[in-house]
Amino acid sequence: RAKGVRYFSKIGVAEFYLENGELRPGDEIVITGTDTGAIIMKAGELRLEYDPVPVVKKGESFSLKVPRKIRPSDRMYLWEDTDKKA
């Protein structure tokens, strides 16, 4: 789970803080919020500061491109298909 920090409208990039777990490019995510609704997407390039990274870990702030505005109150969750685990 991650929480929204800020949105950079000129470049369409959102900053999040990862509260637990790990996130990798290609992971399916859901971003939700009262005004945002739900954004379901695959995580693209993840960046720490200015550098692309292969994985983001708990306690790190990271950025990624998103298709529309997010707000600081928004939450990001990893989308997991529970049927595949059975």
Side-chain angles (χ1 to χ4, degrees):
R1 180 180 73 201
K3 66 178 179 179
V5 176
R6 67 179 64 110
Y7 179 72
F8 301 94
S9 58
K10 289 185 180 182
I11 56 176
V13 169
E15 181 182 351
F16 287 89
Y17 175 78
L18 195 63
E19 296 177 315
N20 62 11
E22 293 182 346
L23 182 66
R24 291 176 168 73
D27 284 347
E28 285 196 76
I29 57 173
V30 180
I31 301 167
T32 64
T34 303
D35 293 325
T36 305
I39 302 171
I40 300 170
M41 60 180 272
K42 285 193 181 204
E45 183 177 74
L46 303 172
R47 291 181 172 254
L48 293 179
E49 297 292 327
Y50 300 106
D51 302 318
V53 294
V55 63
V56 176
K57 297 182 179 183
K58 177 182 176 180
E60 294 179 326
S61 289
F62 65 97
S63 59
L64 78 156
K65 280 199 170 278
V66 292
R68 62 182 195 260
K69 181 179 180 177
I70 66 106
R71 286 120 183 119
S73 59
D74 290 353
R75 295 285 183 178
M76 175 194 293
Y77 300 94
L78 187 61
W79 181 277
E80 293 183 291
D81 186 349
T82 55
D83 289 340
K84 289 182 183 177
K85 293 180 179 181

